[in-house]
Amino acid sequence: MGLDGARSHDERTTATPRTPMPHPRPPARVPFDLAAWASAPRPEADPGVFRQDHRQLDPERAEAAKVPTWPLLLRAGLNAVVGWLAYVYGVEVAKYGTTLIGVLPTRSAFVAVSVVLTLNVLVAGIVIKVFGRMGRWPEVWRRYALPLLSRTVTEEVPDTEEEQSEAARQRDPWAVLRQGGAGVAAGRLDGEAVGDVDYVRIRRAWESAQADPAFLPAFVEQVSLRGAAAFAHPSEARELPGRTERHDLLLGQVRLGTAQDVPKNPLTHRSAGFALDPVVLGTSLLAVGPAGTGKTARLARPVAEALCLQALAGTACAVVIGAADADLGPDAWYDVVIAPGDPASRYGLDLYGAAQDPDEAAARLAEALLPDELTARAETARTALQQMVGPFHAAFGRYPGVRELRALLAGEPESLEALVKGLRAAERLGSFERDLEHREHQRGRADDPGALLADRLALLDRPAFEGAFATDGTGRPPFAMRVLDHPLRVRVKLPERSHPEAARMLSRLLVGQFVQAAGSRGDRSLFAGLVVDDASAALDAGIVRGLQRLRGANAGVVLLLRTLVDLPEALRAPLFGAVGCRAAFPGIAPWDGKLFSEAWGTHLVRETAVTLAPDTSGGIVRRAGRLGRKALSGTTAQTESVTTREVERLRWSPSDLAHALPAGHAVVSLTAVSGEQVPPLLVDLRG
């Protein structure tokens, strides 16, 4: 949210069609140490690593750290004893050798002492080199001696005045404001309780002010007037009630769990925090797993919470779609809550997404209305709907409501007559006369798509949906997807229990509108995130193609599925190719695991093969001994040969994904918007 777009509350509220009611800020959960949080180290790391306080691992040290403590210390001690004996013996041998060649007796005392010291140093260096490597003395030093020495030095050596001053500057969260000439604003913020949402929001406004020095006085004035509440979200909310996940809003990350320390995981991720952020969500994420495996609680809800927090900080907008009873956060998290079928819902839904082009709006609505088994008739249905929506928009300056559109498609004479009169009054009858004639010829035929569309619209023309889809201003305020350039938080509760087929149509319509609106935004500074709790009915070929365009539009989608069987077979492989991030939860079917396994491919592994063969070596005595052993024990002496080779193996086989995943875990692969990829990780999502 730039400074010019968030300078005053009145200006912000007029940017959106409907201003949500403000939510009171809940009490702070725990005291927040802003200085420690802002100055925490965040080293560069691969995608998927929670970078706050992350410690980079040296691969060599990681391998060495696998050795248990007592074997490591025992080996180091034995090598130290043998090394000492070798050192003593080596020095004596060296002295004896120099005596034989006449160095010590024939030279001065100084030369003799120098030679002896040189020999001691040389022998000691060789011993330390050889036995230190075998005993892993450097690892013992790094693991045990160095931390103890570091703590001792830190306690005994005080910081100098310069070091204390530098440390104070690094811990000052508002140092950039003081250095940039906004010391008054920094002083006001020093005396207030500032949360991570406030800090990121104010820092973003400061960056906008730095881009144009003319905005600097306005920035100082706003912060001096409102303090930590400056440049607040239009709802005036500065925190989410009941937030539970660990977030780093400076990087937009939400920590979901821990990557496990197993050979299948790369060394860079083992035992590291696992996190998602807009960098990876920008390639979209597909998660598959049966109900009850944690997709909603451990993936969808944390991502929804992260997007809502980022919206409050002015860096994202969030749209969350799911059943009314899905645990996707309380209503207080959201600015707009849409619940078709619930009379208490304060907001409605714009079926056309406030599209500027009537043909585009009609095409998207037609694709959403048709069930999967009738997608072959999508082209004729799209044309039929455009032939009605376009003339109606030209005649009345708005899109038709559900009942009006249903009557036009069914060919009711009164509705058609009113449409013709409206076109004549608007002097647009000539432009749409051929469309109306074509619809008149189609009416009554067995293959008339208008009758099919009218029957499908009847599912939305129910008393429970009264006022939910109004276009004439008489119903509830409609939400339209075109507002994705504002930091809104939207929750759509679908009536899956009372009207399952209507919920399927609305799900497909909303996802299609999001893909269209996010890709056509003029201002892409905000990350547009969509979370769909059950996407089985929300996908079609057009949406799958649109997912790939979101990567360059600073937008992404999180899709949850119980099984890929819920999708048409023709969509499964293209969907896997369209998304960059994939997650498999425990208990998926083997045929679902096969697609994951093929998408993740193979890698080289070192395979050891042991071959046993009867021992036929030696002469008569050894052969006689083997015969006697066989007669007494009943076993045949065998030789063992070991062969090691590198072979290609699946990273995760369908059987492993279906049967070997522990509860509360998931296998997740990531792709960043820049193209950087992370192989599948086994992640514990329980903590």
Side-chain angles (χ1 to χ4, degrees):
M1 178 166 50
L3 182 64
D4 53 347
R7 191 158 29 189
S8 69
H9 178 61
D10 294 336
E11 291 174 351
R12 287 192 309 272
T13 54
T14 57
T16 58
R18 301 289 175 182
T19 303
M21 293 295 292
H23 304 299
R25 186 180 183 185
R29 298 167 298 147
V30 293
F32 180 67
D33 189 349
L34 176 64
W37 176 80
S39 61
R42 294 173 173 84
E44 292 294 330
D46 292 340
V49 174
F50 189 71
R51 289 168 51 185
Q52 182 181 346
D53 296 321
H54 173 65
R55 293 185 178 181
Q56 298 281 9
L57 290 180
D58 185 353
E60 294 183 0
R61 295 188 184 184
E63 289 295 331
K66 294 181 179 180
V67 180
T69 299
W70 285 114
L72 178 64
L73 295 178
L74 180 61
R75 185 176 181 180
L78 290 176
N79 277 272
V81 172
V82 176
W84 171 255
L85 296 177
Y87 166 73
V88 174
Y89 180 75
V91 170
E92 292 299 327
V93 170
K95 289 182 179 180
Y96 181 72
T98 55
T99 303
L100 290 180
I101 62 176
V103 175
L104 293 181
T106 59
R107 302 294 182 187
S108 64
F110 176 76
V111 175
V113 172
S114 300
V115 171
V116 171
L117 291 176
T118 303
L119 292 175
N120 276 268
V121 172
L122 182 61
V123 174
I126 295 175
V127 169
I128 292 174
K129 176 76 173 177
V130 174
F131 292 95
R133 184 173 183 179
M134 292 191 298
R136 293 191 175 181
W137 294 351
E139 177 61 23
V140 175
W141 172 264
R142 286 193 296 262
R143 196 185 296 189
Y144 304 106
L146 193 58
L148 180 62
L149 181 61
S150 176
R151 286 195 297 268
T152 303
V153 172
T154 303
E155 293 173 359
E156 293 181 355
V157 180
D159 292 335
T160 64
E161 185 176 346
E162 293 79 6
E163 291 174 343
Q164 292 176 354
S165 177
E166 179 63 25
R169 281 195 298 270
Q170 291 178 353
R171 287 182 57 84
D172 181 9
W174 309 114
V176 292
L177 272 64
R178 303 183 206 277
Q179 296 170 2
V184 176
R188 170 66 191 273
L189 294 171
D190 286 336
E192 295 201 11
V194 182
D196 53 352
V197 176
D198 300 329
Y199 181 77
V200 174
R201 187 185 66 250
I202 294 173
R203 281 289 298 264
R204 191 166 186 267
W206 171 252
E207 292 172 359
S208 299
Q210 289 293 95
D212 189 346
F215 290 140
L216 182 59
F219 174 87
V220 176
E221 179 184 358
Q222 179 73 203
V223 175
S224 300
L225 180 64
R226 305 196 64 193
F231 313 105
H233 186 266
S235 66
E236 292 295 327
R238 295 163 51 196
E239 181 60 280
L240 287 185
R243 61 183 277 192
T244 57
E245 307 299 330
R246 183 180 177 187
H247 301 268
D248 184 11
L249 292 181
L250 278 178
L251 301 177
Q253 290 189 316
V254 52
R255 177 166 179 165
L256 302 182
T258 304
Q260 297 299 279
D261 187 6
V262 295
K264 283 182 176 291
N265 285 351
L267 285 173
T268 54
H269 288 74
R270 293 180 191 174
S271 301
F274 176 76
L276 295 177
D277 55 35
V279 174
V280 295
L281 292 179
T283 63
S284 297
L285 185 148
L286 172 67
V288 180
T293 55
K295 300 190 309 300
T296 301
R298 298 189 176 107
L299 177 61
R301 180 187 167 106
V303 171
E305 180 179 307
L307 291 173
C308 289
L309 282 172
Q310 292 170 32
L312 293 182
T315 60
C317 59
V319 179
V320 180
I321 302 173
D325 56 353
D327 184 14
L328 296 171
D331 291 351
W333 281 11
Y334 301 96
D335 305 309
V336 177
V337 178
I338 307 166
D342 183 1
S345 177
R346 295 177 52 243
Y347 290 93
L349 183 65
D350 188 342
L351 295 180
Y352 305 93
Q356 301 297 324
D357 183 6
D359 286 346
E360 178 184 349
R364 183 66 257 168
L365 180 59
E367 293 171 356
L369 290 176
L370 294 182
D372 296 334
E373 59 270 17
L374 295 179
T375 52
R377 301 179 62 181
E379 189 61 38
T380 56
R382 187 183 302 115
T383 302
L385 203 59
Q386 289 171 341
Q387 289 171 344
M388 291 288 96
V389 172
F392 191 96
H393 187 272
F396 303 105
R398 62 178 178 88
Y399 291 110
V402 173
R403 189 162 297 173
E404 293 168 326
L405 183 58
R406 180 187 176 191
L408 289 172
L409 291 169
E412 294 184 4
E414 296 84 0
S415 299
L416 292 174
E417 184 179 350
L419 177 60
V420 172
K421 289 182 179 179
L423 288 172
R424 284 184 180 144
E427 299 181 353
R428 299 289 304 277
L429 180 60
S431 302
F432 297 98
E433 189 172 4
R434 295 189 62 182
D435 284 344
L436 297 179
E437 290 178 355
H438 186 270
R439 286 297 311 130
E440 180 68 23
H441 293 156
Q442 291 285 327
R443 193 193 325 160
R445 295 177 53 177
D447 59 347
D448 179 18
L452 172 63
L453 291 172
D455 291 340
R456 299 293 293 175
L457 279 171
L459 297 172
L460 300 180
D461 188 16
R462 305 292 303 159
F465 298 137
E466 187 70 29
F469 312 118
T471 61
D472 55 0
T474 60
R476 304 166 195 165
F479 166 77
M481 279 292 178
R482 63 178 174 83
V483 297
L484 293 181
D485 51 353
H486 299 285
L488 280 179
R489 303 165 295 161
V490 182
R491 170 74 163 97
V492 181
K493 296 182 175 181
L494 299 176
E496 290 189 354
R497 294 185 181 274
S498 57
H499 301 83
E501 191 59 29
R504 291 171 60 88
M505 289 192 298
L506 294 176
S507 176
R508 186 158 48 236
L509 177 66
L510 288 167
V511 176
Q513 288 181 353
F514 178 90
V515 171
Q516 282 185 337
S520 60
R521 288 184 300 168
D523 181 6
R524 298 180 177 180
S525 58
L526 299 181
F527 177 79
L530 172 67
V531 179
V532 186
D533 184 54
D534 183 4
S536 57
L539 299 174
D540 56 30
I543 293 175
V544 171
R545 288 191 299 268
L547 291 178
Q548 296 178 329
R549 296 193 295 269
L550 295 182
R551 298 191 182 195
N554 195 24
V557 176
V558 178
L559 304 171
L560 275 60
L561 289 173
R562 293 185 179 91
T563 175
L564 293 170
V565 177
D566 291 340
L567 299 179
E569 187 174 359
L571 281 183
R572 299 171 194 172
L575 176 61
F576 264 73
V579 299
C581 306
R582 309 172 185 94
F585 281 74
I588 65 173
W591 43 88
D592 290 343
K594 183 179 179 182
L595 274 176
F596 280 98
S597 183
E598 292 175 351
W600 288 333
T602 62
H603 65 146
L604 290 175
V605 297
R606 180 162 294 188
E607 185 180 78
T608 300
V610 179
T611 304
L612 300 177
D615 187 3
T616 59
S617 63
I620 297 177
V621 176
R622 293 189 63 182
R623 292 180 182 178
R626 288 195 294 269
L627 290 175
R629 174 184 173 184
K630 182 177 181 180
L632 294 174
S633 64
T635 59
T636 303
Q638 294 179 325
T639 60
E640 181 181 283
S641 62
V642 179
T643 304
T644 302
R645 59 177 181 173
E646 288 189 342
V647 296
E648 282 194 358
R649 290 287 183 267
L650 292 172
R651 296 182 184 274
W652 283 89
S653 68
S655 179
D656 289 340
L657 294 173
H659 306 295
L661 287 187
H665 291 63
V667 180
V668 188
S669 66
L670 303 175
T671 302
V673 176
S674 61
E676 188 176 0
Q677 294 184 341
V678 176
L681 305 170
L682 177 62
V683 181
D684 185 355
L685 298 174
R686 294 172 298 183

